[in-house]
Amino acid sequence: VSDFASIPGLSPRIVPISPTDEFYLIDTALQKPQVDLDSWTLTIDGYVDNETTFTYADLAAMEQIEREVTLSCVSNPVGGDLVGNAVWRGVRLTDVLDQAGVQDPTDLTTQIFSRSVDGWTCGFPTPFAYDGRTAMIALQMNGEPLPVIHGFPARLVIAGLYGYVSATKWVETISITDWEGVDGFWMPRGWSKEGPIKTQSRIDVPQSNQRIAAGPTVLAGVAWSPTVGIAKVEVAIDSTDEWFEAELAEPASDE
């Protein structure tokens, strides 16, 4: 296959970059916060040497990184569209944390606990920001400032974690806190405290219950495993024990 994107029915939301206006949208905000950029600040506190506050101008003046990262909602059903790739641009989370002086970046008994301007919270183990994955405070999405619905003026993007434990939009506070005893929004509601994105795949072509004409048929789909990657995909047909190795496109994202 020379051009995977030209296969009719193969999801354009994922291959290769999801248009911003088609990127999936999941949050608890009934009304999206309208943040005043002139008064907005981001504060780093908790188990740090110095509580530190950044303005938007401070963040914009720091070294910027740009990464293609796949995000997927934990609620995404098989064949669902709550997954997408975007090009995120912003500041390394560790660059901001280091300015405040995290007391022990390797301590798994602590977490990076973030709060939105509307009070939503979540957290993930502190070492995850330092293990080499993309962990950033994003200021832009697909070459433009973050849209309000996706977290303007700044949001967290952490590769390999579901959003309910990591992807705080409209972020205003990042605290280094104890892992035990400090729970984000979804934990009291029965959700798991850990939220690693699992390896997933789906077949887009042919669609479910689609009639197939006699003769050669294209099978196509998408597989993703952020921070791990996909090395091989195999497909079995008609519940047989014979598996066929699929041809892979260039990955849309390493994360």
Side-chain angles (χ1 to χ4, degrees):
V1 177
S2 60
D3 183 7
F4 284 83
S6 68
I7 298 175
L10 186 59
S11 175
R13 293 175 179 265
I14 306 175
V15 184
I17 297 297
S18 308
T20 301
D21 61 356
E22 295 182 15
F23 200 91
Y24 76 92
L25 183 63
I26 293 289
D27 54 53
T28 62
L30 297 179
Q31 291 185 327
K32 310 306 179 188
Q34 304 293 314
V35 177
D36 178 10
L37 199 58
D38 292 333
S39 62
W40 176 85
T41 59
L42 172 65
T43 298
I44 314 298
D45 61 16
Y47 297 145
V48 296
D49 295 332
N50 301 288
E51 181 176 316
T52 306
T53 297
F54 298 85
T55 65
Y56 187 87
D58 293 332
L59 296 177
M62 294 175 65
E63 179 185 359
Q64 305 290 296
I65 61 171
E66 189 170 275
R67 300 287 187 271
E68 296 178 10
V69 179
T70 300
L71 298 184
S72 177
C73 181
V74 68
S75 301
N76 190 42
V78 174
D81 59 5
L82 303 182
V83 56
N85 296 321
V87 178
W88 307 96
R89 182 177 176 85
V91 179
R92 292 182 183 87
L93 179 56
T94 53
D95 287 352
V96 171
L97 297 177
D98 288 348
Q99 288 198 38
V102 175
Q103 294 172 4
D104 186 356
T106 67
D107 187 358
L108 281 168
T109 69
T110 66
Q111 65 178 320
I112 295 172
F113 191 80
S114 53
R115 182 181 299 274
S116 167
V117 299
D118 68 352
W120 190 86
T121 57
C122 72
F124 59 92
T126 301
F128 286 11
Y130 293 86
D131 66 4
R133 75 182 69 210
T134 292
M136 66 190 299
I137 301 170
L139 307 179
Q140 294 186 17
M141 179 182 183
N142 291 338
E144 300 288 342
L146 279 174
V148 169
I149 61 173
H150 289 295
F152 178 84
R155 63 168 291 166
L156 291 178
V157 173
I158 314 297
L161 296 178
Y162 287 119
Y164 82 94
V165 298
S166 68
T168 302
K169 302 174 183 177
W170 316 289
V171 61
E172 68 171 3
T173 305
I174 297 175
S175 305
I176 309 301
T177 70
D178 293 322
W179 175 254
E180 298 293 341
V182 182
D183 291 330
F185 178 87
W186 285 109
M187 274 73 266
R189 293 161 174 82
W191 292 46
S192 171
K193 199 171 177 71
E194 298 181 4
I197 295 179
K198 298 178 180 180
T199 299
Q200 299 173 74
S201 64
R202 74 182 195 209
I203 294 175
D204 285 346
V205 181
Q207 296 180 357
S208 178
N209 298 319
Q210 178 181 337
R211 289 184 175 274
I212 300 173
T217 298
V218 173
L219 303 181
V222 183
W224 60 96
S225 185
T227 74
V228 177
I230 300 295
K232 182 169 65 173
V233 174
E234 294 182 323
V235 180
I237 301 171
D238 291 335
S239 301
T240 68
D241 293 329
E242 185 175 8
W243 290 82
F244 301 90
E245 185 171 344
E247 180 182 353
L248 298 185
E250 288 297 317
S253 163
D254 292 330
E255 297 187 286

